[in-house]
Coordinates of all heavy atoms in Angstrom, one line a residue:
V233 N -13.0 2.3 20.5 CA -11.5 2.1 20.7 C -10.9 1.2 19.7 O -10.0 1.5 19.0 CB -11.1 1.7 22.1 CG1 -9.7 1.5 22.2 CG2 -11.6 2.9 23.0
G234 N -11.7 0.2 19.5 CA -11.2 -1.0 18.5 C -11.3 -0.4 17.1 O -10.2 -0.6 16.4
A235 N -12.3 0.5 16.7 CA -12.3 1.1 15.4 C -11.1 2.0 15.2 O -10.5 2.1 14.1 CB -13.6 1.7 15.2
A236 N -10.8 2.8 16.3 CA -9.7 3.7 16.2 C -8.3 2.9 16.0 O -7.5 3.4 15.2 CB -9.6 4.6 17.5
S237 N -8.2 1.8 16.7 CA -6.9 1.2 16.6 C -6.8 0.4 15.1 O -5.7 0.4 14.6 CB -7.0 0.0 17.7 OG -7.0 0.5 19.0
F238 N -8.0 0.0 14.5 CA -8.0 -0.5 13.3 C -7.5 0.6 12.3 O -6.8 0.4 11.3 CB -9.3 -1.1 13.0 CG -9.5 -1.6 11.5 CD1 -8.9 -2.7 11.2 CD2 -10.1 -0.8 10.6 CE1 -9.0 -3.2 9.8 CE2 -10.3 -1.2 9.3 CZ -9.7 -2.4 8.9
G239 N -8.1 1.8 12.5 CA -7.8 2.8 11.6 C -6.3 3.2 11.6 O -5.6 3.6 10.6
V240 N -5.7 3.3 12.8 CA -4.2 3.3 13.0 C -3.5 2.4 12.2 O -2.5 2.8 11.5 CB -3.8 3.6 14.4 CG1 -2.3 3.6 14.6 CG2 -4.6 4.8 15.2
R241 N -3.9 1.2 12.3 CA -3.2 0.0 11.8 C -3.3 0.2 10.2 O -2.2 0.0 9.5 CB -3.7 -1.3 12.2 CG -2.9 -2.5 11.7 CD -1.5 -2.4 12.3 NE -0.7 -3.4 11.8 CZ 0.1 -3.3 10.6 NH1 0.0 -2.2 10.0 NH2 0.8 -4.2 10.3
R242 N -4.3 0.7 9.8 CA -4.6 1.0 8.2 C -3.6 2.0 7.8 O -3.1 1.9 6.7 CB -6.0 1.2 7.9 CG -7.0 0.1 8.1 CD -6.7 -1.0 7.0 NE -6.8 -0.4 5.6 CZ -7.8 -0.4 4.8 NH1 -9.0 -0.9 5.3 NH2 -7.8 0.0 3.6
L243 N -3.5 3.0 8.6 CA -2.5 4.1 8.3 C -1.2 3.6 8.3 O -0.4 4.1 7.3 CB -2.7 5.3 9.3 CG -4.0 6.1 9.3 CD1 -4.0 7.1 10.4 CD2 -4.1 6.9 7.9
I244 N -0.8 2.8 9.1 CA 0.5 2.2 9.1 C 0.8 1.4 7.8 O 1.8 1.3 7.2 CB 0.8 1.4 10.4 CG1 0.8 2.3 11.7 CG2 2.1 0.7 10.3 CD1 1.0 1.5 12.9
G245 N -0.3 0.6 7.4 CA -0.3 -0.2 6.2 C 0.0 0.6 5.0 O 0.7 0.1 4.1
V246 N -0.3 1.8 5.0 CA 0.0 2.6 3.8 C 1.5 2.7 3.6 O 1.9 2.9 2.5 CB -0.7 4.0 3.9 CG1 -0.3 5.0 2.8 CG2 -2.2 3.9 4.0
T247 N 2.2 2.8 4.7 CA 3.7 3.0 4.6 C 4.4 1.7 4.3 O 5.6 1.8 4.0 CB 4.2 3.6 5.8 OG1 4.2 2.6 6.8 CG2 3.4 4.9 6.2
E248 N 3.8 0.4 4.4 CA 4.5 -0.8 4.4 C 4.8 -1.2 2.9 O 3.9 -1.2 2.1 CB 3.8 -1.9 5.1 CG 3.6 -1.6 6.6 CD 2.7 -2.7 7.3 OE1 2.0 -3.5 6.7 OE2 2.8 -2.8 8.5
I249 N 6.1 -1.5 2.7 CA 6.6 -1.8 1.3 C 5.7 -2.9 0.7 O 5.4 -2.9 -0.4 CB 8.0 -2.0 1.3 CG1 8.8 -0.7 1.7 CG2 8.6 -2.5 0.0 CD1 10.2 -0.9 1.8
E250 N 5.7 -4.0 1.5 CA 5.1 -5.3 1.1 C 3.6 -5.0 0.8 O 2.9 -5.8 0.1 CB 5.2 -6.4 2.0 CG 4.5 -6.3 3.3 CD 5.4 -5.7 4.4 OE1 6.5 -4.9 4.0 OE2 5.1 -5.7 5.6
K251 N 2.9 -4.1 1.4 CA 1.5 -3.7 1.0 C 1.5 -2.5 0.1 O 0.3 -1.9 0.0 CB 0.8 -3.6 2.4 CG 0.8 -4.6 3.2 CD 0.0 -4.5 4.5 CE -0.1 -5.6 5.4 NZ -0.8 -5.3 6.6
G252 N 2.5 -2.1 -0.5 CA 2.5 -0.9 -1.3 C 1.5 -1.2 -2.7 O 1.2 -2.2 -2.9
S253 N 1.6 -0.1 -3.3 CA 0.8 -0.1 -4.6 C 1.4 -1.1 -5.6 O 2.7 -1.3 -5.6 CB 0.5 1.2 -5.1 OG 1.8 1.8 -5.7
S254 N 0.6 -1.6 -6.7 CA 1.2 -2.3 -7.8 C 1.9 -1.5 -8.8 O 2.3 -1.9 -9.8 CB 0.2 -3.2 -8.3 OG -0.9 -2.3 -8.8
Y255 N 1.7 -0.2 -8.6 CA 2.4 0.8 -9.6 C 3.9 0.5 -9.7 O 4.6 0.4 -8.8 CB 2.3 2.2 -9.1 CG 2.8 3.3 -10.0 CD1 2.1 3.6 -11.1 CD2 4.1 4.0 -9.8 CE1 2.5 4.5 -12.1 CE2 4.5 4.9 -10.7 CZ 3.8 5.3 -11.7 OH 4.2 6.1 -12.6
G256 N 4.3 0.3 -11.0 CA 5.7 -0.1 -11.2 C 5.8 -1.6 -11.5 O 6.9 -2.0 -11.9
N257 N 4.9 -2.4 -11.2 CA 4.9 -3.9 -11.4 C 4.6 -4.3 -12.7 O 4.4 -5.5 -13.0 CB 4.0 -4.6 -10.5 CG 4.7 -4.6 -8.9 OD1 6.0 -4.6 -8.9 ND2 4.0 -4.7 -8.0
Q258 N 4.4 -3.4 -13.7 CA 4.1 -3.8 -15.0 C 5.0 -3.0 -15.9 O 5.3 -1.8 -15.7 CB 2.6 -3.5 -15.4 CG 2.2 -2.1 -15.0 CD 0.6 -2.0 -15.2 OE1 0.0 -2.8 -15.5 NE2 0.3 -0.7 -14.9
E259 N 5.3 -3.6 -17.0 CA 6.2 -3.0 -18.0 C 5.6 -1.9 -18.8 O 4.5 -2.1 -19.2 CB 6.9 -4.2 -18.8 CG 8.0 -3.6 -19.7 CD 8.6 -4.7 -20.4 OE1 8.3 -5.9 -20.2 OE2 9.5 -4.4 -21.3
F260 N 6.3 -0.8 -18.9 CA 5.7 0.3 -19.8 C 6.1 0.0 -21.2 O 7.2 -0.3 -21.6 CB 6.3 1.6 -19.3 CG 5.7 2.0 -17.9 CD1 6.4 1.6 -16.8 CD2 4.5 2.5 -17.7 CE1 6.0 1.8 -15.5 CE2 4.0 2.9 -16.6 CZ 4.7 2.5 -15.4
K261 N 5.1 0.2 -22.0 CA 5.3 0.0 -23.4 C 5.7 1.3 -24.3 O 6.1 1.3 -25.3 CB 4.0 -0.5 -24.1 CG 3.6 -1.9 -23.5 CD 4.6 -2.9 -23.7 CE 4.1 -4.3 -23.2 NZ 5.1 -5.3 -23.5
K262 N 5.6 2.5 -23.6 CA 6.0 3.6 -24.3 C 6.8 4.5 -23.4 O 6.7 4.5 -22.3 CB 4.7 4.4 -24.7 CG 3.8 4.9 -23.6 CD 2.6 5.6 -24.2 CE 1.7 6.1 -23.0 NZ 0.5 6.8 -23.5

C-alpha cells in the first residue's frame, strides 16, 4: 500500500510546475 501511495505521489509530481523539467531554462543559440 505504501509503494502504491508513493507511486501515485510521483505521478502527481509529474504535473507540478516547480518540479517540472529544466527544458526552456537555457538560452537557445540557434
Side-chain angles (χ1 to χ4, degrees):
V233 172
S237 300
F238 176 77
V240 170
R241 190 62 187 85
R242 286 294 300 273
L243 287 176
I244 294 173
V246 173
T247 71
E248 294 176 345
I249 294 177
E250 65 270 17
K251 295 181 181 179
S253 71
S254 60
Y255 182 76
N257 280 334
Q258 52 189 355
E259 187 170 357
F260 292 91
K261 298 297 183 181
K262 60 181 180 179

